[in-house]
Amino acid sequence: MSSTLGTTAPLNHTLSLRELESLLTMLSRPRALIEVGLVLACLALSWLIVYRISKHVTAAPGHQSVLLGHRVYDGVLFPVIALLLALGARRLMPLLGEPVALFRVVIPVLLSLVVIRLVARVLRATMPDSIGIKLLERSVSWVAWLGSILWIVGLLPILIDELDEYKLGFLPKNARGESTTVYDLLVGVLQVGAIMLVVLWLSSAIESRLLRGKSVMDLSMRKIAVNLTRTALLVVGAMVALNMVGLNLSALSWLGGAVGVGLGFGLQKIAANYVSGFMILAERSLRIGDMVKVDNFEGRISDIKTRYTVIRALNGREAIVPNESLITTRVENLSLADPQVNVTTVVQVAYGTDVDALFPQLIEEIQRVPRVLSEPSPSVSLSNFAADGLELTIGFWISDPHNGQGGVRSDVNLAVLRLLNRLGIDIPFPQRVVRTVAETPVAEGPVVEAPVAGASVAPAEK
């Protein structure tokens, strides 16, 4: 029993049912407490190492760390260090004359935990808003735990041998020149998934590094660098993955021709949006943080993707605008050259008001309103002789249009209203003169009166 579970058992040796019974018997003995203590010590030491590292590492704002996670134990680094310590403790047990039993179960479990944490953290870092992320995480978790259980009980090698017997004649031959089996297909899928996972991890780390900082002026250039880097890494990763599977890349030349024909016909709009996205980022005509107005939709540019641009209005609504539309249509950028925006409001005062004395007082009162700039100074002008009073147009400047114009316009109107009330100046309301029938001039000839509802009309005399 000790020779099988102890010093002579290699790491890749699976456990049979008899060995599992022996393992349970060994764990029930007092000497098993030494191995349990070593396992707990490996986990505690791993937690302490990751905790000390997390105190000296500052993650980028809004970025989920793949290695450390949100807490000490939910990142990739914790199970990796625990796995390394467990491997070292397993090598140490035979030197102490103790059989290895519990580590034969702990090591596959830690390896499965490493795979689950790596997949979950990389996918959440690269695609945090994707709907299918949780489903994919659960699928990977079930597969990893099932694989570790099958390995522990010794059924995984049997399952692999069975899958290696089923030939897939419709697929190209493998690297050995033999027909591709189901096992070869699964290995290829796992290899492609592992490479693409590493590529997504690298692109996420590069994106976090490039986009770190508060400067908005060069944010567009950093965004185009992120998009180009991610695209290049995905292309290289796909080529490496296909080469590892055994596919001849020269055989994919027909695919390039098909893609070219597709771009020329059905995908020309998508290609135009991608090219337009890079043009917008390169020219910097539209930048992240600019206030723009596109097709009567006004808002702040929150993100520029390779295919579309996200514009967020002040009321929380978001518009997804294809990049081609931003190139080919008229776009109003309120903060391209200068973020200062002029806002106007209108008020009427009664005829006979001394507007020459009123204008300086209005300007002084408006300058006291928060968000109103003193330079350029507010202005007041007599814009119209209205039917009910003198129409005054008030103009003022703000430097934060992304905070909206309705609030500051309301503050200015309230300041004007308080000033006019304090000076005793009336704001005229519409006046209409209503004339009765008796006051109406009577023309020559008979007067015909309209009958009143509900009254009887006498017939006219002949």
Side-chain angles (χ1 to χ4, degrees), residues 172 235 238-243 246-260:
V235 172
M239 295 178 64
V240 172
L242 293 176
N243 192 20
L247 295 178
N248 189 5
L249 296 180
S250 61
L252 299 178
S253 58
W254 61 270
L255 182 61
V259 172

Side-chain angles (χ1 to χ4, degrees), residues 158-172:
I158 300 175
L159 182 62
I160 291 176
D161 294 337
E162 290 294 330
L163 294 177
D164 202 22
E165 294 295 329
Y166 291 96
K167 309 291 184 180
L168 300 176
F170 58 90
L171 294 178

Side-chain angles (χ1 to χ4, degrees), residues 329-368:
T329 60
R330 177 175 176 266
V331 179
E332 297 182 18
N333 194 336
L334 304 181
S335 53
L336 177 60
D338 191 350
Q340 295 181 357
V341 176
N342 183 261
V343 184
T344 60
T345 184
V346 178
V347 65
Q348 285 190 5
V349 295
Y351 279 103
T353 303
D354 189 0
V355 292
D356 292 331
L358 178 61
F359 282 3
Q361 299 181 61
L362 283 175
I363 294 175
E364 183 180 357
E365 189 70 21
I366 294 171
Q367 286 180 338
R368 297 193 183 99

Side-chain angles (χ1 to χ4, degrees), residues 32-248:
L33 295 177
I34 299 177
E35 198 170 5
V36 174
L38 281 177
V39 172
L40 295 178
C42 292
L43 295 177
L45 185 57
S46 174
W47 184 90
L48 181 61
I49 293 174
V50 178
Y51 177 77
R52 298 296 298 176
I53 293 175
S54 63
K55 291 297 182 181
H56 299 282
V57 176
T58 303
H63 179 73
Q64 298 183 359
S65 176
V66 176
L67 291 177
L68 299 177
H70 292 294
R71 294 174 291 273
V72 176
Y73 55 86
D74 63 345
V76 180
L77 194 58
F78 172 73
V80 168
I81 296 178
L83 178 62
L84 296 177
L85 293 176
L87 291 173
R90 182 186 179 278
R91 295 296 182 184
L92 182 62
M93 289 291 291
L95 299 179
L96 299 177
E98 297 292 336
V100 178
L102 185 58
F103 281 102
R104 300 299 308 279
V105 178
V106 171
I107 290 177
V109 171
L110 288 178
L111 184 59
S112 300
L113 187 59
V114 169
V115 174
I116 294 172
R117 289 287 172 80
L118 180 62
V119 173
R121 281 298 165 192
V122 171
L123 292 180
R124 289 182 184 179
T126 54
M127 295 174 287
D129 300 328
S130 180
I131 301 176
I133 291 299
K134 292 185 178 180
L135 179 61
L136 185 58
E137 290 179 5
R138 293 178 181 177
S139 302
V140 172
S141 301
W142 280 104
V143 172
W145 289 126
L146 182 61
S148 63
I149 294 174
L150 293 177
W151 176 262
I152 292 173
V153 300
L155 295 179
L156 187 60
I158 300 175
L159 182 62
I160 291 176
D161 294 337
E162 290 294 330
L163 294 177
D164 202 22
E165 294 295 329
Y166 291 96
K167 309 291 184 180
L168 300 176
F170 58 90
L171 294 178
K173 294 184 177 181
N174 55 23
R176 302 186 301 270
E178 302 173 353
S179 298
T180 302
T181 62
V182 177
Y183 173 71
D184 296 330
L185 181 62
L186 293 178
V187 171
V189 171
L190 291 177
Q191 290 177 350
V192 172
I195 292 176
M196 299 308 294
L197 194 67
V198 173
V199 169
L200 290 176
W201 189 0
L202 290 176
S203 64
S204 175
I206 294 174
E207 180 179 2
S208 174
R209 179 71 62 178
L210 291 177
L211 297 182
R212 185 178 300 175
K214 299 181 179 180
S215 176
V216 181
M217 297 301 295
D218 58 340
L219 186 57
S220 298
M221 299 304 297
R222 286 183 287 169
K223 192 68 177 179
I224 191 174
V226 167
N227 293 335
L228 289 176
T229 303
R230 175 174 292 185
T231 303
L233 286 175
L234 289 176
V235 172
V236 172
M239 295 178 64
V240 172
L242 293 176
N243 192 20
M244 288 185 62
V245 173
L247 295 178
N248 189 5

Side-chain angles (χ1 to χ4, degrees), residues 272-273 275-281 283 285-286 321-331:
N273 288 324
V275 174
S276 301
F278 285 109
M279 290 179 59
I280 291 172
L281 292 171
E283 295 175 350
S285 56
L286 298 174
V321 183
N323 290 328
E324 184 187 13
S325 300
L326 300 178
I327 294 293
T328 58
T329 60
R330 177 175 176 266
V331 179

